[in-house]
Amino acid sequence: MKKYFGAILLAFISNFPAQAQSIFSKTDVLTHQDTLRGSITKERAWWDLRYYHLDIKVNPSEKTIVGSNTVRYTVLSENNKMQIDLQEPMNISKVTQNGKDLKFERDGNAFFITLTENQKVGETKEIVISFGGKPKEAINPPWDGGITWKKDKNGKDFIASSCQGLGSSVWWPCKDHMYDEVDNMLISVNVPEDLTDVSNGRLKSVKKEKDGTKTFNWYVANPINNYGVNINIGDYVSFSEKFKGEKGDLDCSYYVLKDNLAVAKEHFKDAPRMLKAFENWFGPYPFYEDSYKLVEAPYLGMEHQSSVTYGNEFKKGYLGHDMSRTGWGLKFDYIIIHESGHEWFANNITYKDIADMWIHESFTNYSEALFVEYYYGKDAANAYIKGLRKQISNDKPIIGIYDVNKEGSGDMYPKGANMLHTIRQLVNDDDKWKSILRGLNSTFYHQTVTTKQIEDYISKQSGIDLKTVFDQYLRTAQVPTLEYFFANYKLGFHWINCNSNFDMPIKVTLNGVETWLKPTVEWQDMNVKGEQNALVVDKNFYIIESNLNN
């Protein structure tokens, strides 16, 4: 398998545009484990994930998690070997099917289970996996995730999971690849009697156990991606409200540490404001059946589906700072708006491969500007999105390496958002643009997708062939530069620092008159009336301009 993957990777690199090859950093050492984690192996491909019952006991004093996961699946093709993922130092102790023990072997973070029963196409079957251990402790969550074990200021345990990229297999056994979401699941979490667990979906019951502990049972009715599954354990209190949304009443619940109840009741008013704005732009909240929850966590925050985690210290902006440096970023709580925006782009529409993580982050970073536009107007939103450009590094392409669980540049946030803002200028019709955003969420409702599907949809619905635009901004680290000059009553112009087929039109004001230029990499010219020779490029396009007359 290693040799096969190496040959494929070598062929891929040799045919990749030279300017985009910087995606393969010298520090990227792709291993057999990367392939097992990031590809749809034959041991994954033959079965379709249908249901989980994750049943665990969390022991804060020992920092352990033990329990079982029941996995229900439908057979797509005959096979008798199944891949289940669980990262070290966690371990699987037993696997059964219909009460019979199954043999399994470990290959790093992947377990290969040998099934003894015939796996007939179309049948639905179950296995039960028993597991336990001390999961990786989060070092810098949510970026370097795992389980966070902390204490609140009253000395009570404050525990949470965060594992995007790292994978949910860091703390429970599962099919840890994004292409196959579980249709629904039950999450049962046993905790000490003085604590509460908040997980995804709706709370169905709380059971008091004989040993004095409590088990919280949460049911998720909608498909959910693996890293979206979470546990949040603390000395929580809650309050709730109903949001009058496009699909009726949406139950909204807020869980915070008891000392923060008063401030949260005021500060969390950004949540219904967010829902109102994003239902306008993106369509109905995608998980009415599972409710919307905002849950205080011992780290900054994460987009866990229907259980968005929050740790922004009840401040506006990003920990009190404006990411755009325009002032508009202090009109809202960044974590509430950004992480909740992921309910549409990440949890409703989900990438199949983390290399396409821009589908989550570019749209959601852009959603911040749409929130600003909804409440403060288009000029404010334009200022906000342009302000984010200061964060762009253009270090490597936004799209990562496929099939090895490698994301691309962090530019997927501000540069990806500015790419979408640029495309909006090309569409040049606000109603059509909104219909595209809403259409994405209805067309790909509760689906996993590829970059090509998103690119093709936007191109088709806009009526514009955007292939060269997407190629430029997603697959290279170059910012297209409009080079131009005035001479002899003519304007000469072309694109540089771009792919050879890049041909994006651009809106300019030429000697006081708004017009569109259609540059390519070849020099073009046009007659200019008068002697003013003034060209102003619409700043809503993310490009560089170079006036050769200066």
Side-chain angles (χ1 to χ4, degrees):
M1 185 176 288
K2 291 181 185 178
K3 291 182 179 179
Y4 175 76
F5 173 73
I8 293 295
L9 181 61
L10 181 61
F12 177 68
I13 295 175
S14 65
N15 288 289
F16 208 66
Q19 64 268 31
Q21 286 187 25
S22 59
I23 189 172
F24 298 97
S25 166
K26 292 179 181 179
T27 61
D28 281 326
V29 179
L30 304 180
T31 68
H32 171 59
Q33 285 298 311
D34 292 325
T35 304
L36 289 180
R37 174 75 171 84
S39 63
I40 305 174
T41 63
K42 65 179 183 296
E43 292 85 5
R44 284 173 169 158
W46 67 267
W47 55 284
D48 177 41
L49 183 57
R50 303 301 297 277
Y51 171 81
Y52 287 134
H53 178 197
L54 178 61
D55 186 2
I56 62 173
K57 180 180 181 68
V58 180
N59 188 329
S61 63
E62 296 180 357
K63 295 185 177 181
T64 60
I65 295 176
V66 296
S68 66
N69 188 22
T70 299
V71 181
R72 186 178 302 157
Y73 62 94
T74 297
V75 180
L76 302 177
S77 61
E78 292 187 5
N79 203 311
N80 73 332
K81 188 164 284 191
M82 173 184 287
Q83 179 178 339
I84 291 290
D85 306 287
L86 184 64
Q87 297 178 35
E88 296 178 306
M90 299 293 282
N91 193 42
I92 291 175
S93 57
K94 185 176 183 178
V95 183
T96 62
Q97 185 162 59
N98 291 327
K100 297 179 181 178
D101 287 355
L102 300 178
K103 293 182 179 180
F104 56 90
E105 56 184 355
R106 183 167 204 164
D107 184 351
N109 294 325
F111 287 79
F112 293 93
I113 301 165
T114 300
L115 304 167
T116 56
E117 297 181 2
N118 291 331
Q119 305 293 306
K120 296 181 180 178
V121 175
E123 287 187 339
T124 298
K125 292 178 172 289
E126 287 185 355
I127 61 169
V128 179
I129 305 165
S130 299
F131 71 101
K134 290 186 176 182
K136 176 184 180 294
E137 189 165 348
I139 299 172
N140 184 30
W143 302 278
D144 189 352
I147 302 296
T148 298
W149 310 89
K150 286 191 175 181
K151 301 279 189 180
D152 66 21
K153 64 183 181 180
N154 297 315
K156 293 290 188 74
D157 288 298
F158 194 20
I159 302 162
S161 60
S162 58
C163 54
Q164 185 182 19
L166 177 63
S168 55
S169 59
V170 73
W171 62 281
W172 60 285
C174 58
K175 188 179 193 178
D176 203 0
H177 192 289
M178 297 292 287
Y179 87 100
D180 189 7
E181 294 186 341
V182 68
D183 296 343
N184 47 73
M185 71 181 297
L186 177 64
I187 306 169
S188 300
V189 183
N190 178 262
V191 298
E193 61 181 338
D194 60 339
L195 300 176
T196 295
D197 171 70
V198 184
S199 290
N200 315 83
R202 291 184 183 269
L203 183 62
K204 292 301 182 182
S205 65
V206 181
K207 182 182 179 183
K208 292 184 178 181
E209 307 291 355
K210 293 179 180 179
D211 61 359
T213 61
K214 293 184 296 187
T215 300
F216 292 79
N217 295 295
W218 296 87
Y219 181 71
V220 184
N222 289 293
I224 184 169
N225 64 57
N226 52 48
Y227 80 84
V229 176
N230 72 340
I231 55 172
N232 303 282
I233 301 167
D235 187 18
Y236 286 122
V237 293
S238 67
F239 60 101
S240 62
E241 63 183 330
K242 290 186 183 295
F243 172 75
K244 302 291 184 182
E246 290 191 13
K247 291 176 67 175
D249 287 345
L250 171 62
D251 294 322
C252 300
S253 300
Y254 310 102
Y255 290 82
V256 296
L257 297 180
K258 64 182 182 182
D259 289 349
N260 295 328
L261 181 61
V263 67
K265 284 186 174 180
E266 180 61 31
H267 195 80
F268 282 5
K269 289 179 179 178
D270 267 357
R273 294 180 76 225
M274 171 278 300
L275 289 164
K276 186 175 182 181
F278 288 168
E279 284 209 336
N280 169 74
W281 286 109
F282 304 143
Y285 174 76
F287 308 105
Y288 271 71
E289 300 85 354
D290 289 323
S291 78
Y292 170 83
K293 298 190 297 299
L294 192 60
V295 187
E296 188 176 357
Y299 60 88
L300 188 61
M302 195 68 197
E303 66 257 28
H304 302 113
Q305 184 173 307
S306 73
S307 182
V308 175
T309 46
Y310 174 85
N312 200 40
E313 299 178 359
F314 304 99
K315 295 177 180 179
K316 295 295 186 181
Y318 183 99
L319 292 172
H321 301 283
D322 177 6
M323 299 291 278
S324 72
R325 302 178 188 177
T326 63
W328 296 111
L330 294 177
K331 298 290 186 180
F332 59 91
D333 185 307
Y334 176 91
I335 292 299
I336 294 176
I337 304 309
H338 180 92
E339 302 305 341
S340 298
H342 278 305
E343 293 282 49
W344 285 266
F345 291 96
N347 299 336
N348 185 37
I349 304 173
T350 308
Y351 55 68
K352 287 183 183 291
D353 191 302
I354 200 172
D356 289 335
M357 189 174 168
W358 78 272
I359 297 169
H360 294 199
E361 301 302 348
S362 299
F363 280 98
T364 305
N365 206 207
Y366 178 61
S367 77
E368 300 157 24
L370 295 179
F371 176 88
V372 171
E373 181 171 340
Y374 186 83
Y375 287 103
Y376 306 105
K378 197 169 182 179
D379 288 344
N382 290 347
Y384 181 86
I385 201 76
K386 288 182 284 186
L388 297 178
R389 293 174 186 173
K390 301 179 183 72
Q391 304 171 29
I392 299 173
S393 61
N394 290 309
D395 56 340
K396 60 181 180 179
I398 287 173
I399 290 180
I401 309 172
Y402 290 102
D403 297 325
V404 287
N405 198 48
K406 297 290 184 182
E407 63 192 60
S409 170
D411 280 351
M412 70 180 78
Y413 293 79
K415 185 177 179 180
N418 272 279
M419 175 192 72
L420 294 172
H421 190 60
T422 297
I423 292 172
R424 180 180 182 176
Q425 312 315 307
L426 297 173
V427 173
N428 201 29
D429 182 328
D430 288 347
D431 289 337
K432 180 180 283 188
W433 182 241
K434 183 164 78 170
S435 74
I436 289 171
L437 297 175
R438 290 177 67 98
L440 283 166
N441 278 280
S442 59
T443 301
F444 301 110
Y445 183 73
H446 290 177
Q447 293 182 34
T448 59
V449 299
T450 64
T451 284
K452 185 177 188 305
Q453 287 176 283
I454 301 301
E455 289 181 3
D456 289 351
Y457 181 88
I458 297 175
S459 288
K460 181 178 179 180
Q461 297 303 315
S462 67
I464 305 169
D465 184 354
L466 294 166
K467 184 179 187 307
T468 65
V469 176
F470 283 118
D471 283 347
Q472 184 66 43
Y473 288 98
L474 294 178
R475 298 178 175 88
T476 83
Q478 297 172 305
V479 182
T481 299
L482 181 67
E483 192 173 59
Y484 65 92
F485 68 92
F486 291 95
N488 301 321
Y489 301 99
K490 288 184 180 292
L491 169 68
F493 57 92
H494 74 152
W495 289 117
I496 62 171
N497 198 41
C498 60
N499 287 331
S500 61
N501 62 346
F502 185 65
D503 61 354
M504 184 178 77
I506 189 165
K507 187 189 294 184
V508 302
T509 300
L510 178 59
N511 290 344
V513 178
E514 188 177 278
T515 187
W516 284 83
L517 300 182
K518 296 183 178 180
T520 65
V521 296
E522 303 296 330
W523 278 106
Q524 300 178 59
D525 63 69
M526 62 184 293
N527 294 325
V528 178
K529 295 181 180 180
E531 299 182 0
Q532 185 178 0
N533 291 346
L535 180 71
V536 179
V537 174
D538 187 334
K539 302 302 183 185
N540 289 300
F541 288 80
Y542 177 55
I543 66 154
I544 296 171
E545 54 181 298
S546 175
N547 183 351
L548 297 182
N549 294 115
N550 292 336

